[in-house]
Structure formats: structure tokens, C-alpha cells
Amino acid sequence: MAFLGTMGAAIIALPLAFLAARNFAPGLATRFGVRRVFDFLRGVDALIWTIVLSRAFGPGPLTGSLAILTTDTGTFGKLFSEALENVDNKQIEGLRSTGANTIQRNRFGVIPQVAPVIIAQVLYYLESNTRSATVVGAIVGGGIGLLLTQAIQTQKDWEEVSYYIVLTLLMVMSMDILSGWLRTRLIGKAPVQHL
């Protein structure tokens, strides 16, 4: 649920972020409208989206993935549009002077500038959503959250409940290590600053 929701949200939010960024939006009305959609999507918590979507799709991992996707689309849209507003126009102007069209300018002049921010945010939210997916799964019936809820409700041995909690913690730690490794491979190491 965490992976599908986070990656789906990033794929949807990136093109919409261009419409919400001040320097890329085709008009003030478009920018205002897309930003309000982002506000609405991220303003409603994932747990509320889970309850709403479970009425439409029924319980299951699909509902949890869609709830995470919906909330993260709003969050990513805001973060990505702010990153796009801070790009350096010199690279874009250089590409324009070579005759590059809008898609080429965005692909080779804008995306490389915002890629580190986008990758870092997506990896952070993937890690965070791994933990949140446990709670969402407990509501809509999917993953470790469902097993944990069943173990508590049936009053099984507390060793089993502890096992699921430890399993969740290990999953979050694994995602932290994996996202750190991916961040280093994709973005590079951050320079160490000495005081």
C-alpha cells in the first residue's frame, strides 16, 4: 500500500505541479485552481480518505493505496511546485537559445534541477507511509495492520501482538536504510559541514 500510494502520488503530482508553479502556470486562474485542489487533497487526512474510499471500493489494500495516493498527491503537488518556483532560469534560457521546445527545456533544464528535491521527498514519504500503512491497513483490512488488529481483537497471546509490532518497526527501519542508500546512489552524499 505504501509503495503504490507514494509512487502513484509522485507520478500524478509532478505534471500537476507545473500548473501550480508561478513560473510555469499558463494563467493565474489555473494556478489558483490547482493549488486549491492540492490544499483539499492534503487537508483531509489519509484516515478520513480511507473511510470515504472504503465505502466506494470496499475494504482491502486497494483502498489503503488510494487513500495514501490521494493525500500524498496534494502534499507532493505543493512541495514539487515550490521546488519548480525556485529553479534557475539560466539553464532554461540556454536551452531556449539552442532551439529547444518547451518539453525539451523542461526535461533537460528543469527536471535535473528539481530531481534531488523530488527524490528526497518521495523517499521520505515512502518511509513515512510504510508506518502509516499499518494504521490504514488496520482500518481497511490489509497488510500487517490487519494481522495486528486481528491479534488484538481475538485476544491471542501478546507475544503475537508484540511480534507484529516488532515486524512493523523492522519494516520502518529497513525502509529508512533503503531510502538512505537510494538517496546516496541517486543524489550523492551531502557535503559534511564542520563547526
Side-chain angles (χ1 to χ4, degrees):
M1 287 187 293
F3 181 80
L4 288 176
T6 306
M7 294 305 160
I11 291 168
I12 293 169
L14 183 58
L16 292 176
F18 278 91
L19 298 174
R22 186 181 324 108
N23 46 346
F24 292 100
L28 183 62
T30 303
R31 181 173 163 252
F32 180 81
V34 173
R35 283 186 174 262
R36 296 304 70 85
V37 169
F38 288 157
D39 290 342
F40 173 70
L41 292 176
R42 78 174 196 279
V44 179
D45 191 65
L47 292 177
I48 304 300
W49 283 118
T50 302
I51 295 167
V52 170
L53 292 169
S54 67
R55 297 281 295 170
F57 297 103
L62 174 66
T63 302
S65 298
L66 289 174
I68 291 171
L69 181 143
T70 305
T71 302
D72 282 2
T73 297
T75 305
F76 285 154
K78 178 176 173 38
L79 294 171
F80 295 173
S81 66
E82 289 176 355
L84 287 168
E85 288 177 351
N86 292 311
V87 297
D88 183 12
N89 285 329
K90 291 177 186 172
Q91 291 181 23
I92 301 167
E93 292 302 321
L95 287 166
R96 180 178 282 132
S97 69
T98 65
N101 62 29
T102 304
I103 294 173
Q104 292 169 330
R105 288 193 303 265
N106 290 339
R107 164 61 185 91
F108 297 106
V110 177
I111 297 297
Q113 291 186 61
V114 296
V117 173
I118 290 172
I119 291 169
Q121 291 296 329
V122 169
L123 290 174
Y124 170 75
Y125 273 87
L126 178 61
E127 178 187 326
S128 176
N129 288 337
T130 302
R131 177 188 44 81
S132 299
T134 304
V135 178
V136 170
I139 294 173
V140 296
I144 297 172
L146 174 64
L147 298 173
L148 179 61
T149 305
Q150 288 175 342
I152 292 171
Q153 286 176 344
T154 57
Q155 302 208 1
K156 291 187 178 179
D157 294 331
W158 284 105
E159 290 84 9
E160 189 172 339
V161 173
S162 301
Y163 167 74
Y164 292 130
I165 292 172
V166 169
L167 192 61
T168 303
L169 291 173
L170 289 174
M171 189 66 185
V172 170
M173 285 185 223
S174 299
M175 287 304 300
D176 180 37
I177 292 167
L178 178 65
S179 68
W181 178 80
L182 280 172
R183 194 176 295 112
T184 302
R185 297 277 299 169
L186 297 172
I187 300 172
K189 289 188 176 184
V192 178
Q193 296 180 358
H194 300 284
L195 298 176

